[in-house]
Amino acid sequence: MNLAILIAVFVGGLTLGIPVAVTLGLASMAYLFAADIPFVVLPQKMYAGMDVFVLLCIPGFILAGNLMNNGGITERIIRFANAMVGWARGGLGLTNVAGSMLFGGISGTAVADAASIGGMMIPGMRRAGYPADFSAAVTAASSTVGPIIPPSVPMIIVGALSGISVGKMFLAGAAPGILMGLAMMVTTYIIAVRKGFPRQAWQGLGELARSFLGAFWAIAMTALIIGGLLSGLATPTETAVVASVYAFVVGSFVYRELPLRAVPKIVIDSAISSAAILALVGFANVFGWILVSERIPQAIAAGVLSVTENKYVVILLINVLLLFIGMFMETIAALIILFVPLLTLAQGVGVDPLHFATFAVLNLMIGLTTPPVGVCLFVCANIAKLPLTPVVRAIAPFLLTNILVLLLVSYVPAIATWLPSVLLD
């Protein structure tokens, strides 16, 4: 009965459009009240979920990304991406994807990617003769690369949940992220050729070199982050602080597009974003504790294993479940609630934890572009001033491409595990 109340309040909150963090809190409080458990458990479990050292790097990476976003990075990355691939058929679509691959290593979040890249590329693509629905769809689809290519907030959360090194998680996401980006570029090109989208003139090696030099300091931030982690000279939290200082120096004194008067507002906005994420982590930890106390993880594992113990079938079932959950639930909440029980299930059939963590995050990233709750879909449809339906239709080929990449990563573990094993083991 108590569990039914928990699920009813949670599903009802999501149906009514209440923010996920608030819904998790309300559902947890309803359960505690029904089970006659003291409410003091709520702050205790919230604090336990947030009191993880590695989570301290989240505010640092968010601040670094916001400083770079306001310091002229977006324009320079798009210019460099356009010089590389803009000359091909559907060149602005390819530029959109390439820009997201480069920008994702700095922003670390899909929504930041969709808003920053989309704010420039969607109007520009429409002026160049691209359909509005395609412009929004390619922007939303490519934004999911951001949280796969390091640095990545979801990868940090997974590291905290599983005990896997954040450096390993970052490296494990690099190859799948690049693979996903390249697959979307192929999809974009095929659509562009079939529909006769425009192409731009080749701008020459000079423009390629100039645009690379312009974007160099922005792109180098990713190298700084990965280098700090691989060298062992800095923890993820220290690396995030160094990245923030680097972003401030580059934006203010190298690009000279980050006025000092704008910094306090950027810090406040970053603090608000970080607080929202950590509040979500706290409430989700309470919700997860309740599920564990009700032995839901064991029931899930027993239920799946009663159907099959075949490793490949279990991987497929996990993917189907996560794709479904990703359509309705915010990524971080889904990770905190489901990651540990599904990891237990995956390890029970011999799946490597690092491999599982990678395809689980990749899976939930795809959920950011699937209706009805795909946040990136709403962001891009809003920028394009379109209803959601045409954007959903236009994004279908990209969703299919991303699911194919997901299956490839799920069934070929080396795509995720090879780079960490070479550089860190």
Side-chain angles (χ1 to χ4, degrees):
M1 180 62 183
N2 296 336
L3 184 60
I5 292 173
L6 177 81
I7 295 173
V9 174
F10 179 67
V11 173
L14 292 181
T15 304
L16 293 173
I18 299 173
V20 175
V22 178
T23 301
L24 289 168
L26 291 174
S28 300
M29 291 177 67
Y31 175 89
L32 295 176
F33 179 79
D36 197 26
I37 298 174
F39 276 5
V40 71
V41 169
L42 188 70
Q44 288 176 343
K45 295 302 177 182
M46 285 185 67
Y47 181 77
M50 295 184 287
D51 187 27
V52 180
F53 179 74
V54 73
L55 295 181
L56 284 174
C57 64
I58 291 177
F61 283 129
I62 289 176
L63 176 60
N66 287 340
L67 287 169
M68 292 295 277
N69 295 349
N70 287 272
I73 178 177
T74 308
E75 297 85 348
R76 286 171 171 82
I77 284 181
I78 289 177
R79 179 185 173 189
F80 177 48
N82 193 44
M84 285 194 298
V85 297
W87 50 269
R89 178 69 65 186
L92 285 183
L94 297 174
T95 298
N96 198 320
V97 179
S100 292
M101 293 174 68
L102 296 171
F103 187 77
I106 297 161
S107 70
T109 61
V111 176
D113 188 343
S116 299
I117 299 289
M120 292 189 63
M121 290 302 301
I122 293 175
M125 291 178 70
R126 294 185 68 175
R127 288 193 298 269
Y130 290 80
D133 56 352
F134 174 81
S135 303
V138 71
T139 304
S142 63
S143 68
T144 57
V145 175
I148 304 298
I149 296 176
S152 162
V153 171
M155 292 293 192
I156 296 169
I157 297 290
V158 166
L161 290 171
S162 64
I164 300 172
S165 158
V166 172
K168 282 190 174 183
M169 288 303 311
F170 280 0
L171 289 177
I178 293 171
L179 183 62
M180 179 184 281
L182 293 176
M184 281 190 281
M185 292 181 77
V186 172
T187 303
T188 301
Y189 180 75
I190 292 172
I191 295 173
V193 170
R194 289 182 58 191
K195 297 191 176 183
F197 289 163
R199 64 192 303 173
Q200 298 172 278
W202 164 244
Q203 300 179 52
L205 292 175
E207 169 60 15
L208 182 62
R210 287 189 297 270
S211 63
F212 172 74
L213 291 175
F216 173 79
W217 293 106
I219 299 171
M221 184 172 165
T222 301
L224 173 70
I225 293 168
I226 297 299
L229 292 173
L230 290 182
S231 65
L233 296 175
T235 65
T237 303
E238 292 165 345
T239 303
V241 174
V242 171
S244 297
V245 174
Y246 175 90
F248 171 74
V249 171
V250 169
S252 296
F253 303 109
V254 178
Y255 291 160
R256 298 183 180 180
E257 294 188 23
L258 179 63
L260 294 180
R261 65 179 179 275
V263 173
K265 184 177 185 305
I266 294 171
V267 172
I268 292 172
D269 289 344
S270 300
I272 293 172
S273 298
S274 302
I277 291 175
L278 291 176
L280 177 58
V281 169
F283 281 123
N285 191 65
V286 180
F287 194 89
W289 171 78
I290 292 172
L291 294 182
V292 170
S293 68
E294 291 283 349
R295 299 186 62 80
I296 299 302
Q298 293 87 336
I300 292 174
V304 172
L305 294 177
S306 68
V307 175
T308 178
E309 294 186 7
N310 184 286
K311 173 181 177 179
Y312 302 103
V313 176
V314 169
I315 288 175
L316 179 62
L317 292 174
I318 290 174
N319 275 324
V320 171
L321 173 63
L322 288 176
L323 281 172
F324 177 76
I325 293 296
M327 293 180 183
F328 300 95
M329 191 182 296
E330 199 275 341
T331 302
I332 293 175
L335 282 173
I336 294 173
I337 294 170
L338 293 173
F339 182 82
V340 173
L342 292 181
L343 174 61
T344 302
L345 172 61
Q347 286 183 293
V349 293
V351 178
D352 179 81
L354 182 62
H355 174 220
F356 168 76
T358 305
F359 74 74
V361 171
L362 183 61
N363 203 315
L364 291 171
M365 288 303 102
I366 296 174
L368 293 172
T369 57
T370 54
V373 190
V375 179
C376 293
L377 275 181
F378 285 98
V379 170
C380 294
N382 183 58
I383 293 172
K385 297 180 173 59
L386 289 174
L388 197 61
T389 303
V391 181
V392 170
R393 284 197 298 263
I395 206 173
F398 295 99
L399 284 176
L400 178 60
T401 298
N402 287 345
I403 290 173
L404 291 175
V405 172
L406 169 65
L407 292 174
L408 185 61
V409 174
S410 298
Y411 289 109
V412 184
I415 296 175
T417 60
W418 179 78
L419 195 58
S421 68
V422 169
L423 296 178
L424 290 179
D425 285 346

